[in-house]
Amino acid sequence: MLADKSVNEHSFQVDLRGLVDLLSHHLYSSPRVYLRELLQNAVDAVTARRRADPSAPTAIRITVDEAGLRVDDPGVGLTEADVHRFLATIGRSSKRDDLEGARREFLGQFGIGLLACFTVAERIRVVTRSAADPQAPPVEWAATSDGTYSVRRLEPDERPAPGTSVFLTPRPGAERWFAPDLVVELARDFGSLLPYEVTVDGGGHTVRTTDSPAVWDRSYDSPAARRAALLAYGERVLGFRALDVVELDIELAGIRGAAYILPQPANPSAGGRHRVYLKGMLLGDATTGLLPDWAFFTRCLVDTDTLRPTASREGLFEDETLGAVREALGGRLRDWLTGLAAQEPHRLAAFLAVHSLGVKSLARHDLALFKIMLPYLEFESTDGTVTLAEFARRHPVIRFTTSVDDFRQVASIAAAQGVGVLNGGYAYDAELFALLPAVAPDVVVEELDTEVVTAALDPVDQADELALAGFLATARGALDPLGCDVILRSFLPASVSALYLESRATRGERTRAETAAEADGVWAEILGALKSEAPRARLVLNHRSPVVRRLAGVRDRALLVTTIEALYGQALLMTHRPLRPADVALVNRAFDDLLGWASRSATELDGRERLDRPERLDGLDEGEETK
């Protein structure tokens, strides 16, 4: 018989609606976590009981039927005092900070995790009996989403064995979360690595959703079989066939698992997103912060017992422990790369063919690895795509540009003159070039200067240059308003008529001047004070070019200025840099004028031909004209 209701049953009213709103919109990313919270409570309860009684049962059963969902666990259970303590503490708070604090304090117990079920349930009923206090009666806690709940003592025969049963009644509109197939999917997704058996009964079937021990904790006949099993598991869980797999067994950091190398280039800015389990329970499949930023080519599957979850249990809390784990995992990946370089260069080559950017990023901060990678990392140069070690053997002085445009501007000319230049315009390359003397002391590294390129070009015989003095004077007068000098040199290839050279200092001063011209007030004064005596840009005319030689013989000054402007525009376009409005106007004008000259010349030539051969034109029959 039950005792008097006034003694055995208590009813309460709290603002659970505010809590449900916080849980739904601020703490959890999706209602699907309700099942994870139920599983976590059950697992923690079983673990707590097993500490006191190693022979205690462990099987957790989920049942889905028309009435809703039920979770049964043979765990430690709760006393009436436990129920009041946990629910009263949480029920009085509707502030997010208090909620997150409570979530950490009562993690995995009869607390926020249970209330998370209100995101999908209209009513929650819990029947529990404590294993720690066998004399305590079983207790029922029942709550509805309107904020009322009651606590009632039960007769011993209503719950004979220790443990807890949770019953959920779906709320209208949330019935899909109780479909048997979806419940199986959620239970398998969240709890496949749990240490205790979990089964789902529903739809006429019983399905086991746990698959422990994890693939990395199993024994295999050979290293090859182990590697194949890890790769197959990663493909099944992550959805891609990894280029390679790195085992992550770091006992001191409490980490077990594997890092999977992406089969295609990754976006460094996207960051790594990993599938992380905490003691077998999935925290999230897009967890960030686990690896160093440079390891963006990796996706991890790991289980940990040392890292602290966030309040929502969907991410990792940033603290000293996570920092230490991140460093340890980064060290493991560095060791893996070093091992490949020493023992399996073919696998390293396959990796670098896809992920050289990630290794370059790492090498900036790890000189030892940089030295190891020197024979393998490739860079764009005037000698083609080469390694730094190979390039250094050919060129005692290594020169590099800091932008792709600068490299394109001088690459063909420098190569023809035997000047070696590296393209430092891609991510991390210029930084590595600057670090090269630290790992190869005999190598001299310099940033390429336009004077170096100019010095490599052959000077023109004094008599030849004197003969072109008038032409050069006209060219200098035409380009002086654009801040560009004109010089004459002889260089290969002869097909390049003119080369435009401009240093970074020149570009910086030009940008300052253009900005100052458009500014006013204090900003204009500041820009004016920053004026520098940067060298002017240069248009280098090629004396070997047949075009330049023919232009020197043009006597029509207007035509000569137009062709000089056209050469300037062509040289600018070869740099692949954006053109200034003044440059665009000049190029358009020059080519329009050239088309005009060509059109007039063609018309005059056509007229002369008609006057010279009128009888021929008039006497052609149809067949001859066709010829």
Side-chain angles (χ1 to χ4, degrees), residues 255-575:
I255 294 287
R256 294 279 294 151
Y260 293 87
I261 309 303
L262 292 171
Q264 68 283 325
N267 182 359
S269 62
R273 298 182 179 276
H274 312 285
R275 191 173 179 89
V276 178
Y277 296 82
L278 178 59
K279 298 179 181 179
M281 181 68 74
L282 179 68
L283 282 180
D285 56 7
T287 305
T288 60
L290 184 67
L291 291 182
D293 292 340
W294 55 260
F296 53 82
F297 51 82
T298 303
R299 296 292 179 269
C300 289
L301 280 169
V302 298
D303 188 19
T304 175
D305 58 10
T306 61
L307 298 179
R308 176 181 170 188
T310 58
S312 64
R313 289 181 59 81
E314 294 182 307
L316 295 172
F317 189 81
E318 185 66 45
D319 56 13
E320 292 182 0
T321 302
L322 179 57
V325 166
R326 187 160 48 230
E327 183 177 349
L329 293 179
R332 179 67 188 90
L333 289 174
R334 281 194 295 269
D335 292 344
W336 169 72
L337 284 171
T338 303
L340 287 186
Q343 302 172 12
E344 300 181 89
H346 64 285
R347 284 176 60 192
L348 177 64
F351 167 76
L352 289 177
V354 180
H355 296 298
S356 61
L357 187 63
V359 177
K360 288 178 179 180
S361 175
L362 170 59
R364 296 175 303 151
H365 308 290
D366 192 326
L367 291 180
L369 179 68
F370 183 28
K371 187 173 184 178
I372 292 170
M373 292 291 114
L374 275 181
Y376 306 100
L377 289 176
E378 295 184 332
F379 302 86
E380 185 179 3
S381 78
T382 49
D383 293 350
T385 301
V386 296
T387 66
L388 283 181
E390 180 182 356
F391 192 81
R393 285 195 296 270
R394 299 177 186 174
H395 304 281
V397 177
I398 293 181
R399 297 183 174 91
F400 66 94
T401 65
T402 55
S403 75
V404 175
D405 287 339
D406 285 345
F407 179 78
R408 289 171 177 169
Q409 176 184 351
V410 303
S412 60
I413 305 300
Q417 315 313 309
V419 177
V421 181
L422 289 165
N423 185 356
Y426 298 111
Y428 314 127
D429 286 4
E431 295 176 72
L432 293 178
F433 301 156
L435 288 173
L436 188 55
V439 296
D442 295 335
V443 175
V444 177
V445 178
E446 297 176 354
E447 184 178 341
L448 182 69
D449 186 83
T450 55
E451 294 300 326
V452 174
V453 179
T454 303
L457 306 179
D458 294 332
V460 177
D461 183 78
Q462 189 174 7
D464 290 336
E465 186 165 1
L466 185 60
L468 297 176
F471 166 64
L472 293 174
T474 302
R476 287 165 182 150
L479 299 183
D480 184 69
L482 296 171
C484 182
D485 291 334
V486 178
I487 62 174
L488 186 67
R489 291 289 187 272
S490 178
F491 55 87
L492 294 172
S495 58
V496 177
S497 301
L499 174 65
Y500 182 83
L501 296 177
E502 183 182 60
S503 67
R504 271 201 305 173
T506 304
R507 287 198 299 274
E509 171 57 21
R510 187 179 66 184
T511 301
R512 183 212 61 78
E514 292 172 350
T515 306
E518 298 176 358
D520 53 18
V522 177
W523 182 233
E525 293 180 7
I526 293 174
L527 290 172
L530 295 175
K531 182 178 179 179
S532 64
E533 296 298 327
R536 288 159 60 94
R538 288 177 177 174
L539 184 69
V540 185
L541 298 177
N542 188 1
H543 190 251
R544 290 177 180 265
S545 166
V547 173
V548 172
R549 289 174 177 268
R550 285 198 298 269
L551 287 179
V554 174
R555 295 293 176 261
D556 188 316
R557 189 178 187 284
L559 176 59
L560 183 58
V561 169
T562 296
T563 53
I564 290 170
E565 290 177 341
L567 280 178
Y568 171 82
Q570 182 188 41
L572 272 180
L573 293 172
M574 287 175 60
T575 68

Side-chain angles (χ1 to χ4, degrees), residues 22 25 48 140 166 266 374 385 499 593:
L22 283 172
H25 299 102
E140 177 192 76
V166 181
L374 275 181
T385 301
L499 174 65
D593 289 349

